[in-house]
Amino acid sequence: MRVALNDPVSYTFIAGDQEVSVNPWLGRKVSIHFTGAINCVHCDRLTKKSFNQGYCYPCFQRLAQCDTCIIKPEKCHFAEGTCREPEWGETNCFVDHIVYLANTSGVKVGITRGTQVPTRWIDQGATQAKPIARVATRYQSGLLEILLAQHVADKTAWQTMLKGNGSPVDLLDRQRALADICHEGITELQSTYGMQAIQWLDDSSSVSIDYPVLEWPVKVSSHNLNKTQKIEGTLLGIKGQYLMFDTGVINIRKYGGYNLEVKVHDNA
């Protein structure tokens, strides 16, 4: 789903050339049927199994965007000459990245390309987010994230995130605390890569994010289209990339490339 930072967040389904607003579905019965066909999101070939949220196995093995270093950027091997697609790496990894704090299921640290702000925060279900550093490359941002992750979480507990928005947090205060405790490590990284390569952002603004939710689930159970090809229920909310029904939740991002038939039923 494509997202836009409005109040609340606007969600749009992209199906071929069609774009459909999802927010008006709230409170209505929605059915999602998986036809059994999966097309690779890169090469469009039919595949029996999806890898890395929508790729066929050959693309999963070949593309740089599916390499381990995308999840763990500190393992970048571009300098060793073994990057799967050096040109892709130059375009996507050797660009400004933002290291940020986000309040999802609690405060966490994360990284994203500068062009993916605030989309990345919304996709993670953050209710608050604040850039804390601008970094010249993905590899260097990964090194900074590892340093900070010794003192703050770097993952989201998605079940907790879907049970509510949690309590607001002073992200500037958390940033200052991290700057103090990690001062030596941050200084060392800046000494190695340059002050301009790792810029600490004391004066960046925090962003608050509201999601379209009618009712939060008390117990979070997940739908799986690989096991049950048709799911339906009343749509009660949308947060991150999750649709929350009265029958369970589904992570739509997980099913990239799946051929789905979606029907929104009129209210009785």
Side-chain angles (χ1 to χ4, degrees), residues 5 10 27 46 67 75-76 82 110 125 128 165-166 254:
L5 182 58
S10 298
L46 283 171
D67 206 345
K75 294 188 175 183
C76 173
T82 54
Q128 297 171 272
N165 283 335
K254 179 180 177 180

Side-chain angles (χ1 to χ4, degrees), residues 169-200:
V169 177
D170 188 335
L171 294 181
L172 176 58
D173 184 63
R174 295 295 182 93
Q175 177 185 1
R176 287 170 174 167
L178 282 173
D180 287 341
I181 198 170
C182 298
H183 175 74
E184 184 176 341
I186 294 171
T187 300
E188 184 176 340
L189 286 173
Q190 290 175 325
S191 176
T192 301
Y193 298 104
M195 292 291 292
Q196 292 302 311
I198 300 175
Q199 303 175 48
W200 198 251

Side-chain angles (χ1 to χ4, degrees), residues 63-237:
L63 298 175
Q65 59 197 286
C66 295
D67 206 345
T68 305
C69 54
I70 296 301
I71 303 299
K72 298 182 177 181
E74 71 278 6
K75 294 188 175 183
C76 173
H77 44 95
F78 185 96
E80 300 170 9
T82 54
C83 180
R84 294 179 181 182
E85 297 177 283
E87 290 185 2
W88 188 94
E90 289 175 350
T91 301
N92 292 276
C93 300
F94 289 83
V95 295
D96 280 359
H97 278 63
I98 294 295
V99 178
Y100 61 86
L101 292 178
N103 186 5
T104 55
S105 57
V107 177
K108 69 177 289 291
V109 62
I111 66 174
T112 189
R113 290 194 303 272
T115 56
Q116 287 299 103
V117 172
T119 301
R120 178 62 173 164
W121 303 337
I122 296 172
D123 284 350
Q124 291 187 331
T127 53
Q128 297 171 272
K130 184 183 189 300
I132 61 173
R134 182 179 297 276
V135 185
T137 71
R138 186 171 182 83
Y139 171 67
Q140 294 162 10
S141 68
L143 296 179
L144 180 57
E145 182 185 35
I146 285 179
L147 173 66
L148 301 177
Q150 297 177 47
H151 308 284
V152 64
D154 61 352
K155 292 180 175 61
T156 296
W158 63 271
Q159 296 97 331
T160 301
M161 180 268 290
L162 293 177
K163 289 182 178 180
N165 283 335
S167 302
V169 177
D170 188 335
L171 294 181
L172 176 58
D173 184 63
R174 295 295 182 93
Q175 177 185 1
R176 287 170 174 167
L178 282 173
D180 287 341
I181 198 170
C182 298
H183 175 74
E184 184 176 341
I186 294 171
T187 300
E188 184 176 340
L189 286 173
Q190 290 175 325
S191 176
T192 301
Y193 298 104
M195 292 291 292
Q196 292 302 311
I198 300 175
Q199 303 175 48
W200 198 251
L201 304 176
D202 290 310
D203 57 351
S204 65
S205 299
S206 296
V207 174
S208 296
I209 305 172
D210 186 37
Y211 296 89
V213 178
L214 299 178
E215 182 179 330
W216 298 103
V218 176
K219 182 179 180 181
V220 178
S221 58
S222 182
H223 288 299
N224 187 338
L225 290 174
N226 294 313
K227 296 180 178 179
T228 305
Q229 289 188 291
K230 184 177 181 179
I231 64 171
E232 61 182 10
T234 301
L235 183 63
L236 298 178

